[in-house]
Amino acid sequence: MTRDTEQAVGLVEKIFRDASSLSNYNAWKTVHTTLNWTCDFTKSILHGSVTLQLQRRHRGDITVKEIVLDTSYLDIKTVRIDGLVVDYHLQDRVEPLGSALCIPYTNYTDSITDSITVVIDYSTTSQCTALQWLLPVQTSGSKPYLFSQCQAIHARSMLPCQDTPLIKSTYSFNIRSPYPVVATGLSKGARDFREDGTIYVYEQPVPIPSYLAALASGDLATAQIGPRSTLYTEPALLLDAQRELEPVIQNFINAAESFLPNYVWDQFNVLVLPQSFPYGGMENPNITFATPTILAGDGSNLDVLAHELAHSWAGNLVTCAGWSHFWLNEGWTVFLERKIVTKIHGFEEGEFSAIIGWKALEGSVAGYGSDHEYTKLVQNLDGKDPDDAFSSVPYEKGFNLLYHIQKVLGGPVVFDPFVKFYFERYARAVVDTDMFKSCLFEFYHEEEHRRALNAIDWETWFYGTGLPSRPDFDTTLARVCYSLSERWSHTTSTTEFGRDDVKGWSAGQFIVFLESLTSSSSFTSKDLLHDMASLYGLRSSRNAEILFRYFTLGIKCKSGTEVYRDIAAWLGTVGRMKFVRPLFRGLNSVDRALALETFAKVGMGLHPICREMVRKDLKL
Ligand code: BES
Ligand code: ZN
């Protein structure tokens, strides 16, 4: 075997490169991380220490004379190696990666040490991008709140670490806070120190990359939502959220386990956050973080949780080898999510979800331009901020590649065994795009399958820009949406329409209908839209996904000040980037003054990541 094949089949450790980390992860690897933190809500900082247990990677190679860690806007106080205080040097900041923390290490004892313990006392600062500290008015109660969001490269602003998905470590969290705390891992109880707060202990026994380290603290109440699942949220949301989540969570887990290896994380808990959480969901192990906009009252937005659950295999267990291969996390996860949806709701629903995804892919490609680097599946991120590359491309182009492979091989009957094989083979490891492909070829060695695989244009799928060719998804559920959209696009009067047009429609069907009108060149009338909105009750929808599409259409039709003010008001109540960014961009295109005024008003309440993106979008 050549070294390449040995690496591909995992016999020797492959040497990867991650353009998004300054740490020397090929010289050392973190095997365990202990965090001792105090949440200081008056200063809005975390302070305490991190203990990194490091192992030298190339045994016998002592030529590397330093330990380099990622940091970003941290206040470093002291560094100790194996108990001795040592010198360190914090390098100048390099955007967007932060400041490398260099700790000279020339083996302070006489022997060649392969395993060392580094303890760093430090605190976060007001420039921390991973944490958002909320005032009581930004919550639904009367207490302050804190939560983290580390993916992709924000963990380094919360702790000095090897901030790369290439390195996986077990974790212990000891977090002192006046309010209940959740963190990545399993709860090991709490120790009460009266007026000094309580220390909450969490242990993560499965090695995880730094981007999955997470905590939240605030007025958290709990409710059971399944045999392996607890819901955490503020008291005001608790009962409604429990009522909505309880019927689906264990079904999702059962559906996933019916075609994947067993769930290794034990518990699957959910934290429903305050509005400013910038994503739909975040797959923090054992404690998925979710936006409150997943609560629509009728379960229609809960596919987000199927998605985060699917990350328990794709991403959290089998991890992408650097953000250039992010599609291996998200493309796989979308593929698994749609398999879960198909198991529970049937083939037509799975295909319908793929149709919605395709539209998002078209939107992202159109937004970047079809020859842009970020429309590639495998992206060159040298000198780039992974947050800027975030779009539907890794999700939906990735899904479409897997969907295509499944199809040419002969459908789920042939592909399912590979899905299981892949997640077993690479469990607890990291995988890049080449390894994924080799694994596929290794699994399918029969002549007919090889022929099918060889006919795939891998080069274009992996490294080509723009859209792939569109598969023929089943349109059973989408057809009525398209035909109603056609009718509205070619009418001048609203008398032919009635409430029954949308009778029995799912939220997804409203989404497809509204998106179809948004891309129709014939539907531009704000008066028609106005009438449609009252006829179908669009403005009063409790579903944020529907409201967002309605507002997008309102901007397209240049609906005027009344609607723009409505959008501006809504922007004060949601923080999910997927909604906030396009609406700010949209408002900016029709009424820049209002966009700026709105940003001045609500900008400080937005999550730091989201605020920064909107600032860029508005060219401020
Ligand atoms: N891991 C992502 C969120 C993420 C990605 C945060 C990259 C930061 C950097 C999460 O699993 C996700 O994909 N969330 C989606 C859910 C949707 C696809 C169902 C979201 O937030 O919209
Ligand atoms: Zn995801």
Side-chain angles (χ1 to χ4, degrees), residues 283 307-308 311 330 333 395:
E283 65 272 24
H307 176 97
E308 304 316 331
H311 274 302
E330 297 298 343
T333 296
Y395 291 75

Side-chain angles (χ1 to χ4, degrees), residues 337-607:
E337 170 201 338
R338 291 190 181 135
K339 279 185 82 71
I340 295 172
V341 167
T342 302
K343 291 259 174 233
I344 296 176
H345 300 293
F347 173 73
E348 291 169 0
E349 287 284 355
E351 295 284 293
F352 186 67
S353 167
I355 288 175
I356 296 180
W358 183 270
K359 193 89 188 165
L361 176 59
E362 283 180 337
S364 291
V365 171
Y368 283 127
S370 64
D371 54 1
H372 195 280
E373 179 68 26
Y374 297 161
T375 66
K376 294 180 183 170
L377 211 44
V378 182
Q379 305 170 338
N380 180 345
L381 294 176
D382 288 4
K384 298 290 195 301
D385 184 342
D387 280 347
D388 291 335
F390 181 80
S391 80
S392 291
V393 170
Y395 291 75
E396 298 296 343
K397 202 176 194 177
F399 164 80
N400 273 279
L401 171 57
L402 293 164
Y403 188 86
H404 181 66
I405 297 170
Q406 167 169 278
K407 176 154 175 265
V408 299
L409 284 170
V413 185
V414 184
F415 197 57
D416 279 1
F418 171 73
V419 173
K420 200 161 188 174
F421 175 80
Y422 172 82
F423 287 104
E424 256 157 18
R425 154 69 70 90
Y426 291 115
R428 297 174 185 238
V430 299
V431 170
D432 67 9
T433 301
D434 285 341
M435 289 163 76
F436 159 77
K437 188 179 159 201
S438 313
C439 184
L440 194 61
F441 275 77
E442 181 199 335
F443 188 81
Y444 293 106
H445 38 75
E446 310 83 357
E447 168 83 42
E448 55 155 331
H449 293 147
R450 274 298 170 89
R451 220 178 308 121
L453 290 179
N454 281 323
I456 294 174
D457 182 355
W458 297 100
E459 187 64 23
T460 304
W461 273 105
F462 290 155
Y463 309 108
T465 57
L467 289 173
S469 61
R470 190 189 195 285
D472 289 321
F473 298 117
D474 174 273
T475 55
T476 309
L477 296 170
R479 233 173 281 146
V480 284
C481 318
Y482 296 145
S483 71
L484 187 60
S485 150
E486 272 295 299
R487 283 176 54 207
W488 278 96
S489 298
H490 295 104
T491 191
T492 44
S493 125
T494 52
T495 51
E496 58 170 298
F497 298 98
R499 273 176 214 284
D500 277 359
D501 301 340
V502 295
K503 199 166 156 205
W505 272 25
S506 67
Q509 286 176 306
F510 278 99
I511 290 170
V512 169
F513 167 66
L514 293 169
E515 286 187 342
S516 163
L517 288 170
T518 302
S519 44
S520 156
S521 51
S522 342
F523 187 84
T524 51
S525 159
K526 63 176 182 182
D527 297 329
L528 281 180
L529 178 59
H530 179 268
D531 292 352
M532 176 201 299
S534 32
L535 192 58
Y536 300 154
L538 297 177
R539 181 58 190 100
S540 52
S541 173
R542 281 187 60 193
N543 188 309
E545 299 278 355
I546 295 177
L547 270 182
F548 168 64
R549 267 70 173 197
Y550 160 63
F551 285 143
T552 306
L553 192 51
I555 289 168
K556 177 202 155 179
C557 295
K558 305 227 164 27
S559 286
T561 311
E562 201 182 319
V563 173
Y564 303 159
R565 295 243 158 240
D566 208 8
I567 296 172
W570 197 62
L571 282 172
T573 69
V574 290
R576 186 173 174 185
M577 252 194 302
K578 169 179 164 185
F579 303 141
V580 172
R581 284 187 68 190
L583 288 180
F584 264 112
R585 279 199 302 260
L587 264 193
N588 189 49
S589 69
V590 290
D591 186 344
R592 179 160 170 89
L594 181 60
L596 297 184
E597 179 194 312
T598 307
F599 186 65
K601 197 146 82 198
V602 307
M604 280 320 288
L606 293 173
H607 188 277

